[in-house]
Amino acid sequence: MKGIILSGGAGTRLHPVTLPVSKQLLPVYDKPMIYYPLSVLMLAGITDILLISTPRDLPHFERLLGDGSALGISIDYAVQETPRGLADAFVVGADHVGDDSVALILGDNIFHGPRFSELLRTNASDVDGCVLFGYPVTDPHRYGVGETDRAGNLVSIEEKPARPRSNKAITGLYLYDNDVVDIAKNISPSARGELEITDVNRVYLERGKAKLVELGRGFAWLDTGTHDSLLQAGQYVQTLEHRQGVRIACIEEIALRMGYIDAPACHALGAALAKTGYGQYLMAVAAEHDRAA
């Protein structure tokens, strides 16, 4: 399975903060926002990733993440000249996807929960159709909402419904088989001229190949699109990291634990940041991994 991170857009709801810099490069407590979606793909076992962003911001992501080799993965980059909807990611990234299935994650979504890596890998292992992830919310009229039958199969999708049929908001993480590329190329743009992800999902729904996995009790799904939600996400990460002594979305540690890099490589990444608590944490993780080996 290939991975795509969509990190375009102007972040207008966060102006003036995002006038000079991409929203996905802003800090969420102790690391750039982009680390969080990248960590999700890595936890899913995906090591071939395309990051899509604007012409202005793409060089900053390249400077931050490079080609991914330091993490034992591959990161390529592509430009989305103007926002053309989420499904445009599959048009821009068609060559990257090739003949494979694909996971799309939005660059401003944060996921955290128990056994998340296992859940991701189970659902990404053999995708036939599309797999969406639902999260119970108290205000479903603000989201795309999925209604399921008892087997978890989607029976309806509504976009910001006045009278929602369920409280399951569809999150910014999507798994698709290879048909998604052709589907995205052939759907009609919306009135705003955008290729809507909901229209892609409805095609799979009509084929009877749409599944919704509910992220239930114990999971957190955070959208960082406003000043308040960005602050709340940082506070959430800070609280858990301080209480548990582990770092959420630490991509270097994930690379080590997933077997993408070894302990010396992880230690070297920490040593490059030795004056920071983040770097010291990485060196400690590498040393602990060595002792346990």
Side-chain angles (χ1 to χ4, degrees):
M1 175 172 274
K2 301 290 180 61
I4 296 177
I5 304 175
L6 186 56
S7 296
T12 52
R13 289 186 296 167
L14 286 169
H15 282 179
V17 176
T18 49
L19 285 173
V21 65
S22 167
K23 170 176 62 175
Q24 290 85 8
L25 291 168
L26 296 178
V28 177
Y29 185 47
D30 58 350
K31 60 191 74 70
M33 188 187 298
I34 194 65
Y35 277 33
Y36 294 86
L38 177 56
S39 73
V40 171
L41 296 183
M42 292 173 67
L43 286 169
I46 298 170
T47 58
D48 197 347
I49 296 166
L50 178 71
L51 193 152
I52 300 174
S53 190
T54 65
R56 181 197 71 171
D57 295 316
L58 207 61
H60 302 302
F61 288 107
E62 292 179 296
R63 191 175 303 116
L64 175 66
L65 300 171
D67 63 2
S69 59
L71 299 170
I73 64 176
S74 173
I75 302 177
D76 291 313
Y77 300 88
V79 168
Q80 187 183 50
E81 295 286 348
T82 58
R84 293 190 297 267
L86 304 188
D88 186 54
F90 303 114
V91 178
V92 174
D95 289 341
H96 170 75
V97 176
D99 297 326
D100 290 323
S101 55
V102 60
L104 171 67
I105 188 168
L106 306 187
D108 61 357
N109 276 216
I110 295 174
F111 296 85
H112 181 253
R115 305 176 71 87
F116 192 33
S117 179
E118 180 180 332
L119 177 70
L120 290 169
R121 282 180 282 169
T122 297
N123 284 283
S125 61
D126 188 20
V127 178
D128 181 20
C130 79
V131 179
L132 311 177
F133 293 86
Y135 188 81
V137 295
T138 57
D139 49 355
H141 61 278
R142 295 180 53 235
Y143 301 91
V145 175
E147 179 190 9
T148 61
D149 61 20
R150 292 184 178 179
N153 298 307
L154 271 174
V155 296
S156 74
I157 301 174
E158 300 175 289
E159 189 65 31
K160 298 182 179 179
R163 296 182 179 179
R165 297 180 183 179
S166 85
N167 69 337
K168 300 182 182 74
I170 295 175
T171 70
L173 173 62
Y174 315 85
L175 309 180
Y176 297 99
D177 63 17
N178 191 255
D179 288 349
V180 72
V181 174
D182 285 335
I183 292 171
K185 288 179 178 178
N186 288 291
I187 60 173
S188 299
S190 67
R192 298 182 299 176
E194 297 185 352
L195 302 181
E196 302 289 353
I197 199 72
T198 298
D199 291 335
V200 170
N201 296 336
R202 285 196 178 116
V203 172
Y204 282 104
L205 179 63
E206 291 166 2
R207 295 179 179 179
K209 288 190 172 185
K211 175 183 176 182
L212 188 72
V213 176
E214 185 170 348
L215 302 176
R217 189 182 298 273
F219 271 90
W221 169 53
L222 306 171
D223 183 352
T224 54
T226 68
H227 296 289
D228 284 344
S229 61
L230 180 60
L231 177 61
Q232 290 163 2
Q235 291 172 330
Y236 173 84
V237 173
Q238 179 193 40
T239 299
L240 285 185
E241 290 190 352
H242 282 199
R243 289 184 178 179
Q244 298 179 356
V246 297
R247 304 225 172 203
I248 296 173
C250 179
I251 54 178
E252 298 87 352
E253 180 181 10
I254 291 170
L256 174 63
R257 300 200 184 282
M258 293 292 292
Y260 305 151
I261 62 174
D262 57 19
C266 182
H267 187 278
L269 291 171
L273 304 171
K275 293 183 178 180
T276 69
Y278 191 89
Q280 293 160 16
Y281 173 80
L282 287 178
M283 290 188 287
V285 165
E288 178 186 357
H289 191 273
D290 254 348
R291 290 194 296 270

